[in-house]
Amino acid sequence: MIVQHLLQHESSASRRAFLRGIASSASLLALGGCAGLGATGGRYDASSLSVEPTLLVATTRKPVNGGRAKPWFGPERASAMTVGRAKLAAPGDNRFSLAAAGIGGWRLEGVEPVAGDVSNLLGQGSGSDVLIYVHGFKNTFETAALDAAQLADGVRFRGQTMVFAWPSKAGLFDYAYDRDSAMYSRDAFERVLQSVVTTPGAGRVHIVAHSMGTMLTLEGLRQLYARYGDSVADKIGAVVFASPDIDMDVFSSATQRIGPLTRKITVITATNDRALALSGRLAGGMTRVGAAEKAAIEQLGVRVIDASESGWGVINHDLFLSNAEVRQVIRRSIDTSAA
């Protein structure tokens, strides 16, 4: 069975980090003679997160230990959203060290819940942009937070980084629970977006959503646009959907309801994404956007990057973290997004 085949390749977080590190190092070495997905050859400045390793947190997961001790937040759905700050430990600076290979990388050291809403986290008049990472299927709170840190550092994001963590059971056979939990969280995610776009002095908000998280993100954007209309467009920067696990018909319908926000979307696809192939079978044979042909998605008015030739692994579902060229696509989407 397909599920059994994928299960054979399931790994712990540490093994996944190691494989990502190897892929990242290999991609960096290859960029010198490659003009694949948009290699620029430039060296980016350090990320803000590496200088001040504090990650903003918004989560609809139920707190564990008051949200102040590991595992901080579990897989159950909370009745109210929690916001806070997570203290991280950054990896070493030497890209050829063990940290660069994914061993001893980013670590989550603690979480401090904060009273109020997201605007209390941002700070009045900071002026900095915000990058929100929305995780996908099968994630713990910790893996989602560390992926957010790896993403922000990998694209050298200059601004504040936030993880939006929705309730996932982090189990291979809990797809239905995760999907429903993502949709359960859409109102909370809209409140997060609303707080960012209405906080005085705050910059633009950029969003990178992975896999099942794209469905939640698109719903949040649709609700935000229904509330504010075109006036919200200048507060939204880049919207990157990495390996989106969403039905093509649902995606098409939603993009028709968000006006100018559609033009801000970049979709990263891979027709050899095995995880989305399985998801399509579970969904009755409906092709997922992240595994669809580039031409079919482009007809919807969004930018599409086909990363099918960039994956070297078995699953090819997290290229936005493991492949340096794909990370450069994300960085350029942020840099070139219209204000």
Side-chain angles (χ1 to χ4, degrees):
M1 293 177 60
I2 297 173
V3 170
Q4 292 175 330
H5 176 72
L6 290 178
L7 186 59
Q8 292 172 357
H9 296 282
E10 284 297 301
S11 57
S12 65
S14 61
R15 181 173 181 269
R16 182 177 64 168
F18 175 78
L19 291 175
R20 285 176 180 166
I22 295 298
S24 177
S25 299
S27 296
L28 285 169
L29 291 173
L31 284 177
C34 175
L37 289 175
T40 63
R43 188 176 186 277
Y44 300 134
D45 295 334
S47 66
S48 295
L49 200 62
S50 65
V51 177
E52 175 51 51
T54 299
L55 179 72
L56 306 184
V57 172
T59 181
T60 51
R61 293 170 180 256
K62 188 174 181 179
V64 178
N65 302 315
R68 287 180 167 82
K70 193 171 184 176
W72 299 287
F73 298 92
E76 293 83 14
R77 301 164 187 164
S79 58
M81 181 171 64
T82 300
V83 299
R85 296 184 180 90
K87 186 66 177 178
L88 303 170
D93 292 332
N94 184 353
R95 71 174 61 211
F96 295 109
S97 67
L98 289 178
I103 302 174
W106 285 95
R107 300 191 312 279
L108 180 57
E109 294 195 329
V111 179
E112 184 61 34
V114 173
D117 59 19
V118 170
S119 61
N120 297 98
L121 295 178
L122 299 177
Q124 297 288 326
S126 66
S128 63
D129 285 3
V130 179
L131 172 63
I132 302 178
Y133 172 64
V134 184
H135 66 83
F137 167 62
K138 195 178 176 294
N139 270 256
T140 65
F141 171 78
E142 184 173 11
T143 58
L146 295 180
D147 282 353
Q150 185 179 345
L151 168 68
D153 194 40
V155 302
R156 304 297 188 259
F157 181 69
R158 302 293 295 175
Q160 301 184 81
T161 301
M162 174 187 294
V163 60
F164 184 84
W166 50 272
S168 165
K169 283 193 174 181
L172 184 63
F173 301 103
D174 295 309
Y175 186 87
Y177 176 86
D178 279 19
R179 181 187 59 207
D180 291 345
S181 292
M183 297 308 291
Y184 169 80
S185 304
R186 59 187 174 181
D187 291 342
F189 185 65
E190 183 203 353
R191 291 197 299 274
V192 169
L193 294 178
Q194 181 181 347
S195 292
V196 177
V197 302
T198 59
T199 295
R204 293 173 300 159
V205 57
H206 308 280
I207 307 167
V208 176
H210 180 228
S211 189
M212 193 179 285
T214 60
M215 177 174 59
L216 162 61
T217 299
L218 196 55
E219 276 295 296
L221 289 172
R222 186 182 63 80
Q223 293 177 190
L224 186 75
Y225 185 75
R227 182 185 297 271
Y228 292 102
D230 291 354
S231 64
V232 77
D234 63 347
K235 297 294 291 185
I236 304 294
V239 178
V240 179
F241 290 160
S243 306
D245 184 3
I246 183 171
D247 182 291
M248 278 287 291
D249 292 336
V250 174
F251 185 76
S252 175
S253 176
T255 54
Q256 293 174 26
R257 302 291 297 275
I258 59 174
L261 300 185
T262 298
R263 297 193 299 270
K264 296 175 179 287
I265 296 175
T266 297
V267 178
I268 299 173
T269 69
T271 54
N272 54 359
D273 186 324
R274 273 72 174 184
L276 291 183
L278 172 60
S279 175
R281 286 174 170 79
L282 293 175
M286 299 298 292
T287 300
R288 317 314 280 169
V289 172
E293 294 293 337
K294 180 179 180 180
I297 310 171
E298 286 179 327
Q299 292 178 358
L300 304 178
V302 302
R303 181 187 181 213
V304 183
I305 301 298
D306 186 352
S308 301
E309 301 302 319
S310 301
W312 64 276
V314 175
I315 306 298
N316 294 328
H317 191 55
D318 63 353
L319 297 176
F320 75 108
L321 289 177
S322 63
N323 186 276
E325 292 177 89
V326 175
R327 290 199 302 272
Q328 287 189 16
V329 167
I330 297 173
R331 169 62 186 249
R332 191 162 59 255
S333 296
I334 293 172
D335 288 345
T336 61
S337 59

Short mmCIF file of all heavy atoms in Angstrom, two decimals, residues 111 257 304 307:
data_model
loop_
_atom_site.label_atom_id
_atom_site.label_comp_id
_atom_site.label_asym_id
_atom_site.label_seq_id
_atom_site.Cartn_x
_atom_site.Cartn_y
_atom_site.Cartn_z
N VAL A 111 8.93 29.05 25.99
CA VAL A 111 7.83 29.85 25.47
C VAL A 111 7.24 30.66 26.61
O VAL A 111 7.02 30.14 27.71
CB VAL A 111 6.73 28.98 24.83
CG1 VAL A 111 5.58 29.83 24.32
CG2 VAL A 111 7.31 28.13 23.69
N ARG A 257 -12.11 35.12 -5.07
CA ARG A 257 -12.79 35.90 -4.04
C ARG A 257 -11.86 36.81 -3.26
O ARG A 257 -12.29 37.42 -2.28
CB ARG A 257 -13.51 34.95 -3.07
CG ARG A 257 -14.52 34.02 -3.72
CD ARG A 257 -15.74 34.76 -4.21
NE ARG A 257 -16.45 35.39 -3.12
CZ ARG A 257 -17.37 34.77 -2.36
NH1 ARG A 257 -17.68 33.50 -2.61
NH2 ARG A 257 -17.98 35.41 -1.40
N VAL A 304 3.75 30.65 -10.59
CA VAL A 304 4.02 29.24 -10.30
C VAL A 304 5.49 28.94 -10.53
O VAL A 304 6.06 29.31 -11.56
CB VAL A 304 3.15 28.30 -11.17
CG1 VAL A 304 3.40 26.85 -10.79
CG2 VAL A 304 1.67 28.65 -11.03
N ALA A 307 9.21 23.05 -9.07
CA ALA A 307 10.43 22.57 -8.43
C ALA A 307 10.61 21.06 -8.61
O ALA A 307 11.36 20.44 -7.85
CB ALA A 307 10.42 22.93 -6.94
#
